[in-house]
Structure formats: C-alpha cells, structure tokens
Amino acid sequence: MKTPWRVGIGYDIHRLAEGRPLILGGVEIAYGRGLSGHSDADVVLHAVADAILGAAGLPDIGDLFPDDDPAYKDADSGGLVREVMRRVGELGLAVNNVDIIIHAESPKLAADKSRIAGSIAALIKVPADQVNVKAKTNEGVGPLGHAQAIACTAVASLVAAV
Ligand code: MG
C-alpha cells in the first residue's frame, strides 16, 4: 500500500414495499414493510460494501455482483460483504473504522443501532466500537421523508493489515 490509510464513501437507496422483511446491516427489524431489490436489499450493507471497495480502489458492488445475476436473487448481503473483505484482504488491507448514516423516516431505529453496529462489526472483523451507526429522518421532505424508501451513506477507512 502506497499510503498509510485510505478512505472511501458508499451510498445506496432501496424502495420500501409490502411483503418484504426489513433487513438493515444484517439485522431484521420488526416493521410492516421491507426494502425491495434483487438481493435481500440490505441498503446498509450495500453502502458499507461500496465504502470499503472505494477505499480499496476496487470496482463497486454493481460491477462485482450484478443485480441481473440469478446467483444474487434474494442473496444474503452478509455474503457479499464477506467476499468484499476477502478481496480487500488480498490487497493487504483491513478496515479501520466505518461511520454510517441510515436515512429513514420510519421505523425509528434508536433502539436498533447498537445491534446493527455489532452485526456489521462481526462481518468486517473489527471491534464494535469501530463501527458507528447514526439514524436520521428526512424531516418529512421528499421520497425519503414520505417513507417511500430508505437510504444509507457510509464512510470507511482502511489501513495496512498487520
Ligand atoms: Mg443496493
């Protein structure tokens, strides 16, 4: 690695739909609706994966895991993150920390944030205090504010693996 540390950003959004489980950061959240998508539509893990890939200078998840590939139909996004970590490890890199904003008008996620952080930390093999999860409403504005979708923004920093 030419630099002592690297940073990357990831963003994703999925529509809320009836008849789907809501899975955020690998944690199933009790809610009447869930996110629609080809995989399990885990908007948080998708943003985290892109942040890590971006920091590593690798292609994004859309390139690595095409959403028209039957292999990823209803796929557990935890498997996707594990594959991202395998590729990052091949480059001699490890995750230092991840900071996450979940943009969700509903449900309220205050009680779930630490469980989500713990789930992500286990997937990317860092202590739980190196994953920070924030949840924000969109103040009732636009599609996010009308709870038509949930979005996630994530930043990751990588360091040389020891
Ligand atoms: Mg996605």
Side-chain angles (χ1 to χ4, degrees):
M1 189 170 65
K2 296 189 186 70
T3 51
W5 59 274
R6 303 174 62 110
V7 66
I9 188 168
Y11 172 81
D12 197 23
I13 183 169
H14 282 263
R15 291 174 186 272
L16 278 161
E18 305 292 331
R20 297 270 299 180
L22 178 60
I23 301 168
L24 297 175
V27 174
E28 186 159 351
I29 308 290
Y31 186 52
R33 299 183 293 161
L35 297 173
S36 64
H38 181 67
S39 66
D40 65 4
D42 190 329
V43 69
V44 176
L45 290 188
H46 294 178
V48 167
D50 263 348
I52 293 170
L53 288 167
L58 290 168
D60 68 25
I61 58 170
D63 290 331
L64 293 178
F65 311 102
D67 67 5
D68 55 1
D69 185 333
Y72 303 115
K73 175 104 173 74
D74 296 324
D76 171 6
S77 295
L80 178 152
V81 172
R82 279 188 284 270
E83 172 61 14
V84 165
M85 293 307 299
R86 190 188 68 75
R87 291 177 187 235
V88 165
E90 278 181 353
L91 297 176
L93 297 167
V95 175
N96 175 58
N97 78 303
V98 176
D99 191 19
I100 297 160
I101 303 171
I102 302 171
H103 310 268
E105 199 71 17
S106 65
K108 295 287 180 249
L109 296 168
D112 301 299
K113 288 190 294 185
S114 65
R115 216 158 41 107
I116 293 170
S119 166
I120 295 167
L123 278 170
I124 63 176
K125 300 184 175 67
V126 299
D129 66 358
Q130 286 163 238
V131 176
N132 190 63
V133 176
K134 300 183 283 292
K136 297 185 73 71
T137 72
N138 216 47
E139 292 285 331
V141 177
L144 286 169
H146 290 100
Q148 294 169 0
I150 292 177
C152 183
T153 306
V155 171
S157 68
L158 303 185
V159 292
V162 287

